[in-house]
Amino acid sequence: MAPREKATSNSSISDKQEHNSSRVITIVFLALFIDLLGFALILPLFPSILDYYSQTELSVLQDGFYLLLQRGVDWFAVMAGIPPERKYNSVLFGGLIGSIFSILQFFSSPLTGAMSDSLGRRPVILMTVIGLITSYSLWAASRTFGVFLLSRIIGGISKGNVSLSTAIVADLHSPKARSKGMAMIGVAFSLGFTLGPMIGAYLAMQTEKGEVFYLRSALVALMFAVADLIFIFFLLPETLPKENRVSSVTSGFQAAVDLLSPLALFRFSAVTRGKESPSEENLQNLKILGLAYFLYLFLFSGLEYTLSFLTHQRFQFSSMQQGKMFFFIGITMAVIQGGYARRIKPGNEIRAVKRAIILLIPAFLLIGWAANVAMLGAGLLLYSCAAAIVIPCLSAVVSGYGSASQKGRVMGILRSLGALARALGPILSATVYWLAGAEVCFTLCGAFFLVPFALLGSVKEPLKDE
């Protein structure tokens, strides 16, 4: 009788944990989706915003920030042999601001992760959302490029909420729940980056005479951020108990300082401090996973960035056609993540990632050598299916490493590596694209995907750290 009662009790605890995990995943998904809707509103407006500020800065010379960055863009365009067309200038300038944003995330993600390991996830994620509210308020009020750039800088620093979302999912007890949670974070990204730009473009079209065209988008982004703050404050539970936190903010920050050095970042030095340092084998696995993650995103973000050049140059895509292309990519990724990626069983993630990476090679070959839109579409379909799997699955694997008090730092490191890759990848790809041509760029970068594929083959079964 006793064993049966014990089994019933264990089953009841397991069911309760599963219910709590599902609730946390749903809340994280909705909070991140609301956040990304607001964040993505600006994306289709970037070229118009840059044109607006270029005219403002040149006519009244209110500040020199725009002209300073424009000189940098002009120098890069001449060096890479990029034609002096307005369309390409907008893409390059947008890429420069995107790189600045990614570098700021590179610095902020580990620091917010370390802070959350000490103070808990809830208070730190609330602080980051308050930072985003400040960023969107400045954007709405901005009439000079300097103020707009300041809003993007504050936004980049505050974007540590994304790595905190992955840390919250990493806090969940079961590998199955963590895998599902990371996939749902991927769905939130796909839907946010699909629907957000459409809403932003629609709001810009509704601008009345005499009204600044981006004001409505900025105010709606601000509204989303305020709604997100209220939603998180009332519904998100704390997932890191006090007994599992690091002893002080200082110790968390001391570890985070290791992350400001790229070399220490790749070594995962921040999680080797103290008594709870992972085993030698697990640390080696983390290093391999981190390097594979960086190389994948370095190559992927670069080729993703050059898509705008290729479709405009080879197929003369208008902004609307490019919008439809990215809508197709986003919806396909959301379907794959929601229908397949979240159902991948724990332990099978690395195999799924390797299959996806191999699929990216023919995808980028088809895109780079596309002679017609049908061939481009086939490449984009493979690209979307593969891209939907890699990041959620790698995040799920990495979330299984480290003790409970290290999850924030571990996921912060991973997010930092991704941000560094996204800052550097487009620079190299754009240079190769314009110096050697689209075919060489996409073929070379596609072939280099074999490097992260080979690295993942050397990841061993993790030992239990917790």
Side-chain angles (χ1 to χ4, degrees):
M1 193 74 179
R4 189 180 297 174
E5 285 176 5
K6 189 176 180 182
T8 305
S9 174
N10 288 340
S11 175
S12 175
I13 292 168
S14 176
D15 288 345
K16 189 177 179 182
Q17 283 183 344
E18 192 172 328
H19 174 74
N20 288 341
S21 294
S22 295
R23 181 172 173 270
V24 169
I25 289 168
T26 302
I27 292 168
V28 167
F29 166 75
L30 291 173
L32 197 55
F33 176 57
I34 294 167
D35 168 67
L36 292 169
L37 272 180
F39 174 74
L41 286 174
I42 196 174
L43 298 181
L45 310 183
F46 249 125
S48 302
I49 288 173
L50 296 175
D51 286 344
Y52 168 79
Y53 285 122
S54 70
Q55 292 160 16
T56 305
E57 300 298 318
L58 290 171
S59 60
V60 295
L61 296 176
Q62 289 167 308
D63 61 55
F65 283 112
Y66 186 93
L67 297 175
L68 183 67
L69 292 179
Q70 183 62 61
R71 285 192 197 103
V73 169
D74 291 342
W75 172 83
F76 179 77
V78 170
M79 185 193 75
I82 300 171
E85 289 186 30
R86 187 175 174 183
K87 165 79 179 177
Y88 297 146
N89 182 73
S90 293
V91 174
L92 287 171
F93 208 116
L96 174 61
I97 293 180
S99 288
I100 293 170
F101 195 89
S102 293
I103 289 168
L104 290 166
Q105 281 189 285
F106 163 72
F107 288 114
S108 70
S109 291
L111 294 173
T112 51
M115 196 188 299
S116 76
D117 281 341
S118 174
L119 302 177
R121 312 296 185 214
R122 246 179 72 86
V124 181
I125 202 169
L126 286 169
M127 287 190 324
T128 63
V129 178
I130 290 169
L132 289 172
I133 289 172
T134 306
S135 167
Y136 296 139
S137 299
L138 279 172
W139 177 29
S142 68
R143 295 297 177 270
T144 67
F145 182 74
V147 177
F148 172 72
L149 188 60
L150 178 62
S151 79
R152 299 305 294 165
I153 289 170
I154 293 172
I157 293 168
S158 303
K159 227 39 190 132
N161 68 326
V162 177
S163 66
L164 287 176
S165 295
T166 61
I168 289 168
V169 170
D171 289 333
L172 302 177
H173 292 283
S174 110
K176 184 180 177 183
R178 291 197 292 264
S179 186
K180 179 185 174 184
M182 294 302 175
M184 292 309 292
I185 285 175
V187 174
F189 264 88
S190 298
L191 291 177
F193 278 91
T194 300
L195 301 176
M198 292 173 63
I199 297 170
Y202 172 78
L203 290 170
M205 289 167 61
Q206 302 304 308
T207 303
E208 294 177 1
K209 192 174 181 181
E211 185 183 338
V212 180
F213 71 93
Y214 57 76
L215 180 61
R216 293 190 183 195
S217 294
L219 291 174
V220 170
L222 177 60
M223 182 191 76
F224 278 134
V226 171
D228 204 28
L229 182 73
I230 295 167
F231 181 79
I232 291 169
F233 183 82
F234 285 106
L235 293 175
L236 182 68
E238 179 56 66
T239 56
L240 184 63
K242 287 185 178 179
E243 61 270 18
N244 290 339
R245 298 176 192 177
V246 293
S247 55
S248 70
V249 177
T250 310
S251 61
F253 271 123
Q254 185 58 50
V257 168
D258 291 334
L259 305 172
L260 302 182
S261 155
L263 192 59
L265 190 77
F266 283 103
R267 290 175 177 169
F268 279 77
S269 300
V271 295
T272 61
R273 295 177 176 274
K275 300 173 186 176
E276 296 182 318
S277 176
S279 67
E280 194 63 39
E281 189 171 300
N282 282 358
L283 185 61
Q284 186 59 29
N285 279 353
L286 271 176
K287 290 176 184 177
I288 294 168
L289 287 166
L291 182 58
Y293 183 88
F294 171 82
L295 289 173
Y296 165 78
L297 265 179
F298 178 79
L299 295 166
F300 181 85
S301 64
L303 294 179
E304 182 182 50
Y305 179 65
T306 55
L307 260 180
S308 297
F309 291 127
L310 184 141
T311 52
H312 177 72
Q313 188 186 36
R314 190 177 294 174
F315 300 109
Q316 290 76 51
F317 271 20
S318 65
S319 296
M320 180 60 76
Q321 287 172 306
Q322 291 213 4
K324 288 178 181 177
M325 175 183 75
F326 285 112
F327 178 79
F328 167 75
I329 291 169
I331 288 295
T332 305
M333 286 179 67
V335 169
I336 298 295
Q337 285 163 339
Y340 170 67
R342 72 187 183 94
R343 291 187 169 88
I344 294 172
K345 292 179 180 177
N348 292 339
E349 294 98 341
I350 295 286
R351 280 194 289 275
V353 170
K354 288 171 74 176
R355 285 195 295 268
I357 288 175
I358 286 296
L359 198 61
L360 278 172
I361 298 173
F364 282 121
L365 287 174
L366 282 169
I367 293 168
W369 293 84
N372 51 57
V373 175
M375 193 171 168
L376 175 70
L380 290 174
L381 181 64
L382 292 179
Y383 157 101
S384 306
C385 292
I389 294 164
V390 179
I391 298 301
C393 284
L394 281 180
S395 298
V397 173
V398 172
S399 72
Y401 288 87
S403 64
S405 64
Q406 294 176 322
K407 299 292 187 185
R409 274 168 286 163
V410 169
M411 300 315 293
I413 292 172
L414 196 69
R415 186 73 192 167
S416 296
L417 288 170
L420 188 62
R422 285 193 175 279
L424 301 176
I427 297 170
L428 179 69
S429 285
T431 304
V432 175
Y433 182 96
W434 289 108
L435 290 178
E439 293 85 356
V440 173
C441 176
F442 279 78
T443 302
L444 268 179
C445 291
F448 274 114
F449 275 111
L450 291 171
V451 178
F453 175 85
L455 282 170
L456 290 171
S458 60
V459 175
K460 296 173 183 175
E461 189 70 26
L463 299 172
K464 193 76 172 172
D465 276 337
E466 301 174 83

